[in-house]
Amino acid sequence: MATENKFAHGIQYGDQSGVTWYGPPSAGFWLDQLAVSRRYIDPLFRGILDRSGNGLDREQVPQLVAEWNCLKGWAAMNGPAPVMTQDAVSFAEALARLKNDDIAKHCHGSSVDECLECAAKIRKFIEDHVLRGVELFIEYD
């Protein structure tokens, strides 16, 4: 796999943080990665949280989102943290359920369409790695 840069942080001025997904390191290097700016990942996380709190549509908050929301677990670690396959799959499924209305009020510096395109990239990254049976890692940077 190669590095994906379209949604990465550090490309635009002042956009220095976000989340990076990794496949397993190769010869000690994290070559297989998907970097996602806060401009895109924050609306996705917040949209998933909103869906979990909406009456009849109440959904279980994926572990990755819950830890991000509380700055615990992987979100509090320095460096890449391993992601359990079920947690990655649960997050990908939550991303697939997101609709325009779920994230529109959270998009600042990005559009709803860009965020949903980013969600599709993240889902594909996760699904590709799960199908190959390789480890996934995540880093809040």
Side-chain angles (χ1 to χ4, degrees), residues 45 49 61-77 81-84 87 138 140:
F45 281 147
L49 285 171
V61 176
Q63 185 69 27
L64 295 174
V65 177
E67 290 179 0
W68 170 84
N69 188 46
C70 298
L71 290 176
K72 293 181 179 180
W74 71 268
M77 291 181 67
V83 177
M84 292 178 50
D87 290 341
I138 190 169
Y140 194 43

Side-chain angles (χ1 to χ4, degrees), residues 6-114:
K6 180 173 182 179
F7 297 104
H9 45 288
I11 295 173
Q12 292 187 344
Y13 180 78
D15 183 16
Q16 299 302 315
S17 63
V19 169
T20 304
W21 290 89
Y22 299 98
S26 176
F29 296 97
W30 297 96
L31 302 175
D32 179 14
Q33 61 180 269
L34 173 67
V36 180
S37 167
R38 286 187 64 196
R39 295 179 326 132
Y40 307 107
I41 198 70
D42 283 5
L44 299 176
F45 281 147
R46 292 178 193 284
I48 291 169
L49 285 171
D50 285 355
R51 287 184 64 82
S52 71
N54 287 342
L56 297 176
D57 292 339
R58 190 167 211 116
E59 297 175 6
Q60 181 71 26
V61 176
Q63 185 69 27
L64 295 174
V65 177
E67 290 179 0
W68 170 84
N69 188 46
C70 298
L71 290 176
K72 293 181 179 180
W74 71 268
M77 291 181 67
N78 289 324
V83 177
M84 292 178 50
T85 300
Q86 183 52 44
D87 290 341
V89 169
S90 174
F91 180 65
E93 290 170 349
L95 287 174
R97 289 190 294 270
L98 285 175
K99 296 178 176 63
N100 292 9
D101 293 344
D102 298 324
I103 61 174
K105 66 182 174 186
H106 302 297
C107 291
H108 306 289
S110 61
S111 72
V112 171
D113 289 339
E114 289 172 323

